[in-house]
Amino acid sequence: NFMLTQPHSVSESPGKTVSISCTGSSGSIASNYVQWYQQRPGTAPITVIFEDNQRPSGVPDRFSGSVDSSSNSASLTISGLKTEDEADYYCQSYDGSNLWVFGGGTKLTVL
Amino acid sequence: QLQLQESGPGLVKPSETLSLTCTVSGGSISSSGYYWGWIRQPPGKGLEWIGNIYYSGSTYFNPSLKSRVTISVDTSKNQFSLKLSSVTAADTAVYYCARLVATIWFVPWGQGILVTVSS
């Protein structure tokens, strides 16, 4: 089955830039769009990136997404880190065969 | 603005059936091109896709849950529902409903409902 693997946790200081990776288990992650969701404690996830690199309205341009076919991975990059960015981040994709998959999630600590 | 709201019992006994409903407001569940989905999150763990339904009744399920899951839609009430049979403590989770856009991504999400499986 298609799986997405994320680091368990990352940390960085305010004002810095951090990237979170999402690696596909098989096939090409570039074949299907990747989304990124932010989830703060006790709240529902919200979309910060859809279709690999698109930002919904209201999401700051400090958030960006990319896909690297050579490593079969996607990345979420957050620049100018703020303490409010501290949250869990999940990647998600559709495998093209009626299976929707989430990564295991990455806890971002801004310290 | 489209909103989704989950409802149902917060406590279910082991071996019984979990039943939840998602009510859609601010838009029609019969809108062409949108699927509607259920996702769950066990306490302290990650997100798990359960299944999706189209207003016509077409469904897709996570293979790991398929044998126990039923998803249905009631267009007259603008609702869709989840039934999960033979539950165990491992099914304790926050259950979310969401709209699936472009058959790819989930937005918006409901606020979620915690369902605990315990005797």
Side-chain angles (χ1 to χ4, degrees):
Chain A
N1 284 344
F2 182 60
M3 295 175 58
L4 298 172
T5 301
Q6 301 179 233
H8 181 69
S9 63
V10 296
S11 62
E12 190 50 91
S13 303
K16 299 291 189 179
T17 297
V18 69
S19 290
I20 299 172
S21 63
C22 173
T23 303
S25 62
S26 61
S28 173
I29 202 169
S31 298
N32 297 288
Y33 286 124
V34 175
Q35 285 61 238
W36 291 91
Y37 302 90
Q38 176 194 68
Q39 185 180 35
R40 296 191 175 101
T43 67
I46 62 170
T47 311
V48 292
I49 294 289
F50 67 98
E51 294 181 355
D52 294 343
N53 54 21
Q54 302 300 303
R55 276 179 291 105
S57 60
V59 174
D61 60 6
R62 302 184 295 106
F63 289 80
S64 63
S66 63
V67 172
D68 180 359
S69 300
S70 64
S71 60
N72 204 36
S73 66
S75 293
L76 171 69
T77 299
I78 310 171
S79 61
L81 274 171
K82 300 184 177 184
T83 55
E84 67 202 46
D85 298 330
E86 189 163 289
D88 293 328
Y89 291 85
Y90 294 89
C91 59
Q92 175 260 315
S93 189
Y94 169 61
D95 80 338
S97 300
N98 304 322
L99 185 66
W100 286 260
V101 178
F102 289 92
T106 299
K107 180 178 179 61
L108 170 62
T109 301
V110 182
L111 34 69
Chain B
Q1 183 178 355
L2 189 76
Q3 293 185 317
L4 290 82
Q5 178 71 58
E6 305 87 351
S7 60
L11 181 64
V12 180
K13 290 182 168 58
S15 80
E16 295 190 345
T17 296
L18 177 159
S19 296
L20 297 174
T21 296
C22 181
T23 300
V24 179
S25 59
S28 173
I29 202 169
S30 301
S31 296
S32 180
Y34 294 118
Y35 275 80
W36 304 87
W38 288 98
I39 302 106
R40 70 179 183 178
Q41 184 173 36
K45 296 187 179 181
L47 301 167
E48 180 181 33
W49 170 67
I50 300 172
N52 301 329
I53 189 166
Y54 197 57
Y55 75 91
S56 63
S58 175
T59 52
Y60 299 107
F61 300 117
N62 187 324
S64 68
L65 298 169
K66 185 176 183 177
S67 64
R68 298 194 292 131
V69 173
T70 302
I71 299 179
S72 59
V73 63
D74 186 337
T75 55
S76 67
K77 295 182 178 178
N78 227 31
Q79 295 175 334
F80 62 106
S81 299
L82 169 70
K83 291 186 185 298
L84 181 65
S85 64
S86 305
V87 297
T88 69
D91 295 309
T92 294
V94 175
Y95 286 76
Y96 295 100
C97 60
R99 182 184 63 174
L100 185 64
V101 174
T103 324
I104 294 172
W105 56 297
F106 298 95
V107 64
W109 297 54
Q111 66 183 28
I113 183 169
L114 174 63
V115 179
T116 301
V117 178
S118 175
S119 56

